[in-house]
Amino acid sequence: MEGGDVVTKVIDARDLSARAAELGAALTQDYHGTKPVFVTVMSGALWFVADLVRQVDLPVEVDFLMLNRFGEGGRIRIATDTATALTGRDVILVEDIVDTGLTLTVLRKLIAEREPASLKTVALIDKVPRRLVDVPIEYRGFEVGDEYLVGYGLDHRGLYRNLADIWAVLDLEAFQAAPDALARVALTGS
Ligand code: IMP
């Protein structure tokens, strides 16, 4: 697999870090005087939330939930819930990618039922052209096109979350045929 033909780097680790700092500064200002809880959607958003919260200069809590997709329509439910009770809290949902927007729509509804004091979303990546349902994203890291992305928490069949940068897959067939090649390109540049 030729790295350049099949995958291309789209967001550099330094840009990811700089954007986390900008978003962290905005959250520090907007949530001044409160103690928000960052509810992280596992597993993809784990890398992002770790960088983000270290840039927030407030007393914050960080919690996690895991989703499960089931049934033909890919219905979503919370498989592993937060340890924190969210009623009356300022909740900041942390997502890796908003693609069609369906996941975030369902999740916001499920969290809203718990009557938090406020509910906002931070999404690292907004795949704008793929959106099927309009859903609020109050803070976004980067807007991208419709390429499949991996790295910095984003996976393809469980792989590539450990890459420091974010890569777009240009040729999905070649990529799937040589699943080890991206790691080689990403880690060694060859
Ligand atoms: P949505 O419900 O279509 O908005 O899908 C959102 C979820 O799909 C994200 O939280 C990711 O888990 C997954 N996803 C969507 N696009 C990508 C991608 O390019 N790379 C990795 N995961 C993705």
Side-chain angles (χ1 to χ4, degrees), residues 69 76 97-105 126-135:
R69 281 167 226 276
I76 293 153
I97 289 197
V98 183
D99 186 23
T100 61
L102 292 167
T103 307
L104 182 57
T105 301
D126 185 359
K127 273 191 179 179
V128 184
R130 297 259 313 162
R131 192 65 31 80
L132 292 180
V133 284
D134 203 14
V135 59

mmCIF file with all atom_site columns, all heavy atoms in Angstrom, residues 69 76 97-105 126-135:
data_model
loop_
_atom_site.group_PDB
_atom_site.id
_atom_site.type_symbol
_atom_site.label_atom_id
_atom_site.label_alt_id
_atom_site.label_comp_id
_atom_site.label_asym_id
_atom_site.label_entity_id
_atom_site.label_seq_id
_atom_site.pdbx_PDB_ins_code
_atom_site.Cartn_x
_atom_site.Cartn_y
_atom_site.Cartn_z
_atom_site.occupancy
_atom_site.B_iso_or_equiv
_atom_site.pdbx_formal_charge
_atom_site.auth_seq_id
_atom_site.auth_comp_id
_atom_site.auth_asym_id
_atom_site.auth_atom_id
_atom_site.pdbx_PDB_model_num
ATOM 1   N N   . ARG A 1 69  ? -25.180 -0.205 19.609 1.00 0.00 ? 69  ARG A N   1
ATOM 2   C CA  . ARG A 1 69  ? -26.108 -0.124 18.472 1.00 0.00 ? 69  ARG A CA  1
ATOM 3   C C   . ARG A 1 69  ? -26.746 -1.475 18.279 1.00 0.00 ? 69  ARG A C   1
ATOM 4   O O   . ARG A 1 69  ? -26.060 -2.491 18.317 1.00 0.00 ? 69  ARG A O   1
ATOM 5   C CB  . ARG A 1 69  ? -25.350 0.244  17.204 1.00 0.00 ? 69  ARG A CB  1
ATOM 6   C CG  . ARG A 1 69  ? -25.048 1.709  17.122 1.00 0.00 ? 69  ARG A CG  1
ATOM 7   C CD  . ARG A 1 69  ? -24.039 2.005  16.036 1.00 0.00 ? 69  ARG A CD  1
ATOM 8   N NE  . ARG A 1 69  ? -23.034 2.909  16.541 1.00 0.00 ? 69  ARG A NE  1
ATOM 9   C CZ  . ARG A 1 69  ? -23.159 4.219  16.585 1.00 0.00 ? 69  ARG A CZ  1
ATOM 10  N NH1 . ARG A 1 69  ? -24.241 4.786  16.126 1.00 0.00 ? 69  ARG A NH1 1
ATOM 11  N NH2 . ARG A 1 69  ? -22.221 4.989  17.089 1.00 0.00 ? 69  ARG A NH2 1
ATOM 12  N N   . ILE A 1 76  ? -29.909 2.996  19.065 1.00 0.00 ? 76  ILE A N   1
ATOM 13  C CA  . ILE A 1 76  ? -28.823 3.260  20.011 1.00 0.00 ? 76  ILE A CA  1
ATOM 14  C C   . ILE A 1 76  ? -29.355 3.232  21.430 1.00 0.00 ? 76  ILE A C   1
ATOM 15  O O   . ILE A 1 76  ? -30.429 3.774  21.709 1.00 0.00 ? 76  ILE A O   1
ATOM 16  C CB  . ILE A 1 76  ? -28.223 4.650  19.715 1.00 0.00 ? 76  ILE A CB  1
ATOM 17  C CG1 . ILE A 1 76  ? -27.514 4.616  18.354 1.00 0.00 ? 76  ILE A CG1 1
ATOM 18  C CG2 . ILE A 1 76  ? -27.254 5.091  20.808 1.00 0.00 ? 76  ILE A CG2 1
ATOM 19  C CD1 . ILE A 1 76  ? -27.468 5.952  17.700 1.00 0.00 ? 76  ILE A CD1 1
ATOM 20  N N   . ILE A 1 97  ? -16.804 12.239 16.524 1.00 0.00 ? 97  ILE A N   1
ATOM 21  C CA  . ILE A 1 97  ? -17.258 12.689 15.202 1.00 0.00 ? 97  ILE A CA  1
ATOM 22  C C   . ILE A 1 97  ? -18.771 12.785 15.182 1.00 0.00 ? 97  ILE A C   1
ATOM 23  O O   . ILE A 1 97  ? -19.448 11.900 15.687 1.00 0.00 ? 97  ILE A O   1
ATOM 24  C CB  . ILE A 1 97  ? -16.848 11.673 14.114 1.00 0.00 ? 97  ILE A CB  1
ATOM 25  C CG1 . ILE A 1 97  ? -15.353 11.700 13.873 1.00 0.00 ? 97  ILE A CG1 1
ATOM 26  C CG2 . ILE A 1 97  ? -17.555 11.940 12.806 1.00 0.00 ? 97  ILE A CG2 1
ATOM 27  C CD1 . ILE A 1 97  ? -14.927 11.060 12.580 1.00 0.00 ? 97  ILE A CD1 1
ATOM 28  N N   . VAL A 1 98  ? -19.277 13.847 14.608 1.00 0.00 ? 98  VAL A N   1
ATOM 29  C CA  . VAL A 1 98  ? -20.701 13.867 14.277 1.00 0.00 ? 98  VAL A CA  1
ATOM 30  C C   . VAL A 1 98  ? -20.785 13.691 12.766 1.00 0.00 ? 98  VAL A C   1
ATOM 31  O O   . VAL A 1 98  ? -20.258 14.500 12.001 1.00 0.00 ? 98  VAL A O   1
ATOM 32  C CB  . VAL A 1 98  ? -21.387 15.170 14.726 1.00 0.00 ? 98  VAL A CB  1
ATOM 33  C CG1 . VAL A 1 98  ? -22.877 15.103 14.410 1.00 0.00 ? 98  VAL A CG1 1
ATOM 34  C CG2 . VAL A 1 98  ? -21.174 15.384 16.219 1.00 0.00 ? 98  VAL A CG2 1
ATOM 35  N N   . ASP A 1 99  ? -21.418 12.588 12.364 1.00 0.00 ? 99  ASP A N   1
ATOM 36  C CA  . ASP A 1 99  ? -21.479 12.206 10.955 1.00 0.00 ? 99  ASP A CA  1
ATOM 37  C C   . ASP A 1 99  ? -22.904 12.497 10.459 1.00 0.00 ? 99  ASP A C   1
ATOM 38  O O   . ASP A 1 99  ? -23.211 13.639 10.118 1.00 0.00 ? 99  ASP A O   1
ATOM 39  C CB  . ASP A 1 99  ? -21.095 10.715 10.888 1.00 0.00 ? 99  ASP A CB  1
ATOM 40  C CG  . ASP A 1 99  ? -20.969 10.163 9.491  1.00 0.00 ? 99  ASP A CG  1
ATOM 41  O OD1 . ASP A 1 99  ? -20.738 10.932 8.557  1.00 0.00 ? 99  ASP A OD1 1
ATOM 42  O OD2 . ASP A 1 99  ? -21.097 8.933  9.331  1.00 0.00 ? 99  ASP A OD2 1
ATOM 43  N N   . THR A 1 100 ? -23.802 11.527 10.471 1.00 0.00 ? 100 THR A N   1
ATOM 44  C CA  . THR A 1 100 ? -25.197 11.805 10.089 1.00 0.00 ? 100 THR A CA  1
ATOM 45  C C   . THR A 1 100 ? -25.895 12.667 11.147 1.00 0.00 ? 100 THR A C   1
ATOM 46  O O   . THR A 1 100 ? -26.867 13.341 10.858 1.00 0.00 ? 100 THR A O   1
ATOM 47  C CB  . THR A 1 100 ? -26.002 10.505 9.937  1.00 0.00 ? 100 THR A CB  1
ATOM 48  O OG1 . THR A 1 100 ? -26.010 9.832  11.207 1.00 0.00 ? 100 THR A OG1 1
ATOM 49  C CG2 . THR A 1 100 ? -25.397 9.593  8.879  1.00 0.00 ? 100 THR A CG2 1
ATOM 50  N N   . GLY A 1 101 ? -25.404 12.592 12.386 1.00 0.00 ? 101 GLY A N   1
ATOM 51  C CA  . GLY A 1 101 ? -26.023 13.331 13.488 1.00 0.00 ? 101 GLY A CA  1
ATOM 52  C C   . GLY A 1 101 ? -27.024 12.491 14.271 1.00 0.00 ? 101 GLY A C   1
ATOM 53  O O   . GLY A 1 101 ? -27.554 12.943 15.290 1.00 0.00 ? 101 GLY A O   1
ATOM 54  N N   . LEU A 1 102 ? -27.260 11.259 13.812 1.00 0.00 ? 102 LEU A N   1
ATOM 55  C CA  . LEU A 1 102 ? -28.275 10.420 14.468 1.00 0.00 ? 102 LEU A CA  1
ATOM 56  C C   . LEU A 1 102 ? -27.861 10.032 15.887 1.00 0.00 ? 102 LEU A C   1
ATOM 57  O O   . LEU A 1 102 ? -28.662 10.100 16.826 1.00 0.00 ? 102 LEU A O   1
ATOM 58  C CB  . LEU A 1 102 ? -28.532 9.161  13.624 1.00 0.00 ? 102 LEU A CB  1
ATOM 59  C CG  . LEU A 1 102 ? -29.217 9.441  12.276 1.00 0.00 ? 102 LEU A CG  1
ATOM 60  C CD1 . LEU A 1 102 ? -29.162 8.214  11.360 1.00 0.00 ? 102 LEU A CD1 1
ATOM 61  C CD2 . LEU A 1 102 ? -30.666 9.866  12.499 1.00 0.00 ? 102 LEU A CD2 1
ATOM 62  N N   . THR A 1 103 ? -26.605 9.633  16.061 1.00 0.00 ? 103 THR A N   1
ATOM 63  C CA  . THR A 1 103 ? -26.127 9.226  17.388 1.00 0.00 ? 103 THR A CA  1
ATOM 64  C C   . THR A 1 103 ? -26.283 10.374 18.384 1.00 0.00 ? 103 THR A C   1
ATOM 65  O O   . THR A 1 103 ? -26.838 10.197 19.474 1.00 0.00 ? 103 THR A O   1
ATOM 66  C CB  . THR A 1 103 ? -24.642 8.801  17.319 1.00 0.00 ? 103 THR A CB  1
ATOM 67  O OG1 . THR A 1 103 ? -24.490 7.815  16.309 1.00 0.00 ? 103 THR A OG1 1
ATOM 68  C CG2 . THR A 1 103 ? -24.153 8.270  18.651 1.00 0.00 ? 103 THR A CG2 1
ATOM 69  N N   . LEU A 1 104 ? -25.805 11.532 17.987 1.00 0.00 ? 104 LEU A N   1
ATOM 70  C CA  . LEU A 1 104 ? -25.842 12.675 18.905 1.00 0.00 ? 104 LEU A CA  1
ATOM 71  C C   . LEU A 1 104 ? -27.279 13.088 19.226 1.00 0.00 ? 104 LEU A C   1
ATOM 72  O O   . LEU A 1 104 ? -27.593 13.454 20.365 1.00 0.00 ? 104 LEU A O   1
ATOM 73  C CB  . LEU A 1 104 ? -25.058 13.848 18.292 1.00 0.00 ? 104 LEU A CB  1
ATOM 74  C CG  . LEU A 1 104 ? -24.968 15.096 19.152 1.00 0.00 ? 104 LEU A CG  1
ATOM 75  C CD1 . LEU A 1 104 ? -24.333 14.788 20.516 1.00 0.00 ? 104 LEU A CD1 1
ATOM 76  C CD2 . LEU A 1 104 ? -24.162 16.178 18.434 1.00 0.00 ? 104 LEU A CD2 1
ATOM 77  N N   . THR A 1 105 ? -28.166 12.993 18.238 1.00 0.00 ? 105 THR A N   1
ATOM 78  C CA  . THR A 1 105 ? -29.573 13.349 18.464 1.00 0.00 ? 105 THR A CA  1
ATOM 79  C C   . THR A 1 105 ? -30.186 12.459 19.548 1.00 0.00 ? 105 THR A C   1
ATOM 80  O O   . THR A 1 105 ? -30.829 12.954 20.489 1.00 0.00 ? 105 THR A O   1
ATOM 81  C CB  . THR A 1 105 ? -30.376 13.207 17.151 1.00 0.00 ? 105 THR A CB  1
ATOM 82  O OG1 . THR A 1 105 ? -29.780 14.063 16.179 1.00 0.00 ? 105 THR A OG1 1
ATOM 83  C CG2 . THR A 1 105 ? -31.831 13.583 17.342 1.00 0.00 ? 105 THR A CG2 1
ATOM 84  N N   . ASP A 1 126 ? -16.667 17.628 12.856 1.00 0.00 ? 126 ASP A N   1
ATOM 85  C CA  . ASP A 1 126 ? -18.012 17.778 12.300 1.00 0.00 ? 126 ASP A CA  1
ATOM 86  C C   . ASP A 1 126 ? -17.944 17.477 10.801 1.00 0.00 ? 126 ASP A C   1
ATOM 87  O O   . ASP A 1 126 ? -17.351 18.223 10.031 1.00 0.00 ? 126 ASP A O   1
ATOM 88  C CB  . ASP A 1 126 ? -18.495 19.217 12.534 1.00 0.00 ? 126 ASP A CB  1
ATOM 89  C CG  . ASP A 1 126 ? -19.934 19.413 12.093 1.00 0.00 ? 126 ASP A CG  1
ATOM 90  O OD1 . ASP A 1 126 ? -20.541 18.452 11.588 1.00 0.00 ? 126 ASP A OD1 1
ATOM 91  O OD2 . ASP A 1 126 ? -20.446 20.535 12.256 1.00 0.00 ? 126 ASP A OD2 1
ATOM 92  N N   . LYS A 1 127 ? -18.549 16.333 10.413 1.00 0.00 ? 127 LYS A N   1
ATOM 93  C CA  . LYS A 1 127 ? -18.573 15.941 8.997  1.00 0.00 ? 127 LYS A CA  1
ATOM 94  C C   . LYS A 1 127 ? -19.786 16.591 8.350  1.00 0.00 ? 127 LYS A C   1
ATOM 95  O O   . LYS A 1 127 ? -20.808 15.942 8.114  1.00 0.00 ? 127 LYS A O   1
ATOM 96  C CB  . LYS A 1 127 ? -18.704 14.422 8.881  1.00 0.00 ? 127 LYS A CB  1
ATOM 97  C CG  . LYS A 1 127 ? -17.409 13.668 8.912  1.00 0.00 ? 127 LYS A CG  1
ATOM 98  C CD  . LYS A 1 127 ? -17.693 12.231 8.504  1.00 0.00 ? 127 LYS A CD  1
ATOM 99  C CE  . LYS A 1 127 ? -16.439 11.406 8.474  1.00 0.00 ? 127 LYS A CE  1
ATOM 100 N NZ  . LYS A 1 127 ? -16.730 10.008 8.112  1.00 0.00 ? 127 LYS A NZ  1
ATOM 101 N N   . VAL A 1 128 ? -19.686 17.854 8.087  1.00 0.00 ? 128 VAL A N   1
ATOM 102 C CA  . VAL A 1 128 ? -20.829 18.678 7.677  1.00 0.00 ? 128 VAL A CA  1
ATOM 103 C C   . VAL A 1 128 ? -21.630 18.092 6.499  1.00 0.00 ? 128 VAL A C   1
ATOM 104 O O   . VAL A 1 128 ? -22.859 17.984 6.595  1.00 0.00 ? 128 VAL A O   1
ATOM 105 C CB  . VAL A 1 128 ? -20.348 20.114 7.360  1.00 0.00 ? 128 VAL A CB  1
ATOM 106 C CG1 . VAL A 1 128 ? -21.516 21.012 7.029  1.00 0.00 ? 128 VAL A CG1 1
ATOM 107 C CG2 . VAL A 1 128 ? -19.548 20.675 8.525  1.00 0.00 ? 128 VAL A CG2 1
ATOM 108 N N   . PRO A 1 129 ? -20.988 17.689 5.394  1.00 0.00 ? 129 PRO A N   1
ATOM 109 C CA  . PRO A 1 129 ? -21.799 17.246 4.242  1.00 0.00 ? 129 PRO A CA  1
ATOM 110 C C   . PRO A 1 129 ? -22.552 15.937 4.450  1.00 0.00 ? 129 PRO A C   1
ATOM 111 O O   . PRO A 1 129 ? -23.408 15.587 3.650  1.00 0.00 ? 129 PRO A O   1
ATOM 112 C CB  . PRO A 1 129 ? -20.779 17.076 3.111  1.00 0.00 ? 129 PRO A CB  1
ATOM 113 C CG  . PRO A 1 129 ? -19.441 17.215 3.698  1.00 0.00 ? 129 PRO A CG  1
ATOM 114 C CD  . PRO A 1 129 ? -19.560 17.647 5.125  1.00 0.00 ? 129 PRO A CD  1
ATOM 115 N N   . ARG A 1 130 ? -22.254 15.213 5.521  1.00 0.00 ? 130 ARG A N   1
ATOM 116 C CA  . ARG A 1 130 ? -22.898 13.917 5.777  1.00 0.00 ? 130 ARG A CA  1
ATOM 117 C C   . ARG A 1 130 ? -24.149 14.034 6.643  1.00 0.00 ? 130 ARG A C   1
ATOM 118 O O   . ARG A 1 130 ? -24.852 13.069 6.884  1.00 0.00 ? 130 ARG A O   1
ATOM 119 C CB  . ARG A 1 130 ? -21.901 12.993 6.486  1.00 0.00 ? 130 ARG A CB  1
ATOM 120 C CG  . ARG A 1 130 ? -20.684 12.671 5.656  1.00 0.00 ? 130 ARG A CG  1
ATOM 121 C CD  . ARG A 1 130 ? -20.779 11.327 5.026  1.00 0.00 ? 130 ARG A CD  1
ATOM 122 N NE  . ARG A 1 130 ? -21.197 10.318 5.978  1.00 0.00 ? 130 ARG A NE  1
ATOM 123 C CZ  . ARG A 1 130 ? -21.690 9.140  5.623  1.00 0.00 ? 130 ARG A CZ  1
ATOM 124 N NH1 . ARG A 1 130 ? -21.835 8.849  4.350  1.00 0.00 ? 130 ARG A NH1 1
ATOM 125 N NH2 . ARG A 1 130 ? -22.038 8.260  6.544  1.00 0.00 ? 130 ARG A NH2 1
ATOM 126 N N   . ARG A 1 131 ? -24.425 15.234 7.149  1.00 0.00 ? 131 ARG A N   1
ATOM 127 C CA  . ARG A 1 131 ? -25.497 15.401 8.132  1.00 0.00 ? 131 ARG A CA  1
ATOM 128 C C   . ARG A 1 131 ? -26.882 15.065 7.570  1.00 0.00 ? 131 ARG A C   1
ATOM 129 O O   . ARG A 1 131 ? -27.255 15.517 6.506  1.00 0.00 ? 131 ARG A O   1
ATOM 130 C CB  . ARG A 1 131 ? -25.469 16.869 8.633  1.00 0.00 ? 131 ARG A CB  1
ATOM 131 C CG  . ARG A 1 131 ? -26.328 17.174 9.870  1.00 0.00 ? 131 ARG A CG  1
ATOM 132 C CD  . ARG A 1 131 ? -25.856 16.452 11.119 1.00 0.00 ? 131 ARG A CD  1
ATOM 133 N NE  . ARG A 1 131 ? -24.426 16.232 11.125 1.00 0.00 ? 131 ARG A NE  1
ATOM 134 C CZ  . ARG A 1 131 ? -23.519 17.140 11.448 1.00 0.00 ? 131 ARG A CZ  1
ATOM 135 N NH1 . ARG A 1 131 ? -23.892 18.321 11.843 1.00 0.00 ? 131 ARG A NH1 1
ATOM 136 N NH2 . ARG A 1 131 ? -22.243 16.857 11.414 1.00 0.00 ? 131 ARG A NH2 1
ATOM 137 N N   . LEU A 1 132 ? -27.600 14.216 8.288  1.00 0.00 ? 132 LEU A N   1
ATOM 138 C CA  . LEU A 1 132 ? -28.981 13.885 7.911  1.00 0.00 ? 132 LEU A CA  1
ATOM 139 C C   . LEU A 1 132 ? -29.977 14.563 8.832  1.00 0.00 ? 132 LEU A C   1
ATOM 140 O O   . LEU A 1 132 ? -31.091 14.886 8.431  1.00 0.00 ? 132 LEU A O   1
ATOM 141 C CB  . LEU A 1 132 ? -29.216 12.367 7.977  1.00 0.00 ? 132 LEU A CB  1
ATOM 142 C CG  . LEU A 1 132 ? -28.484 11.500 6.949  1.00 0.00 ? 132 LEU A CG  1
ATOM 143 C CD1 . LEU A 1 132 ? -28.818 10.033 7.161  1.00 0.00 ? 132 LEU A CD1 1
ATOM 144 C CD2 . LEU A 1 132 ? -28.866 11.919 5.522  1.00 0.00 ? 132 LEU A CD2 1
ATOM 145 N N   . VAL A 1 133 ? -29.602 14.717 10.101 1.00 0.00 ? 133 VAL A N   1
ATOM 146 C CA  . VAL A 1 133 ? -30.503 15.403 11.042 1.00 0.00 ? 133 VAL A CA  1
ATOM 147 C C   . VAL A 1 133 ? -29.771 16.591 11.657 1.00 0.00 ? 133 VAL A C   1
ATOM 148 O O   . VAL A 1 133 ? -28.594 16.504 11.998 1.00 0.00 ? 133 VAL A O   1
ATOM 149 C CB  . VAL A 1 133 ? -31.009 14.471 12.179 1.00 0.00 ? 133 VAL A CB  1
ATOM 150 C CG1 . VAL A 1 133 ? -32.067 13.530 11.688 1.00 0.00 ? 133 VAL A CG1 1
ATOM 151 C CG2 . VAL A 1 133 ? -29.876 13.726 12.825 1.00 0.00 ? 133 VAL A CG2 1
ATOM 152 N N   . ASP A 1 134 ? -30.516 17.654 11.786 1.00 0.00 ? 134 ASP A N   1
ATOM 153 C CA  . ASP A 1 134 ? -29.971 18.881 12.333 1.00 0.00 ? 134 ASP A CA  1
ATOM 154 C C   . ASP A 1 134 ? -29.864 18.735 13.853 1.00 0.00 ? 134 ASP A C   1
ATOM 155 O O   . ASP A 1 134 ? -30.859 18.492 14.512 1.00 0.00 ? 134 ASP A O   1
ATOM 156 C CB  . ASP A 1 134 ? -30.944 20.014 11.978 1.00 0.00 ? 134 ASP A CB  1
ATOM 157 C CG  . ASP A 1 134 ? -30.261 21.343 11.997 1.00 0.00 ? 134 ASP A CG  1
ATOM 158 O OD1 . ASP A 1 134 ? -29.022 21.365 12.023 1.00 0.00 ? 134 ASP A OD1 1
ATOM 159 O OD2 . ASP A 1 134 ? -30.985 22.364 12.006 1.00 0.00 ? 134 ASP A OD2 1
ATOM 160 N N   . VAL A 1 135 ? -28.662 18.831 14.376 1.00 0.00 ? 135 VAL A N   1
ATOM 161 C CA  . VAL A 1 135 ? -28.483 18.669 15.819 1.00 0.00 ? 135 VAL A CA  1
ATOM 162 C C   . VAL A 1 135 ? -27.499 19.741 16.297 1.00 0.00 ? 135 VAL A C   1
ATOM 163 O O   . VAL A 1 135 ? -26.517 20.026 15.612 1.00 0.00 ? 135 VAL A O   1
ATOM 164 C CB  . VAL A 1 135 ? -27.991 17.224 16.154 1.00 0.00 ? 135 VAL A CB  1
ATOM 165 C CG1 . VAL A 1 135 ? -26.685 16.881 15.484 1.00 0.00 ? 135 VAL A CG1 1
ATOM 166 C CG2 . VAL A 1 135 ? -27.938 16.973 17.635 1.00 0.00 ? 135 VAL A CG2 1
#
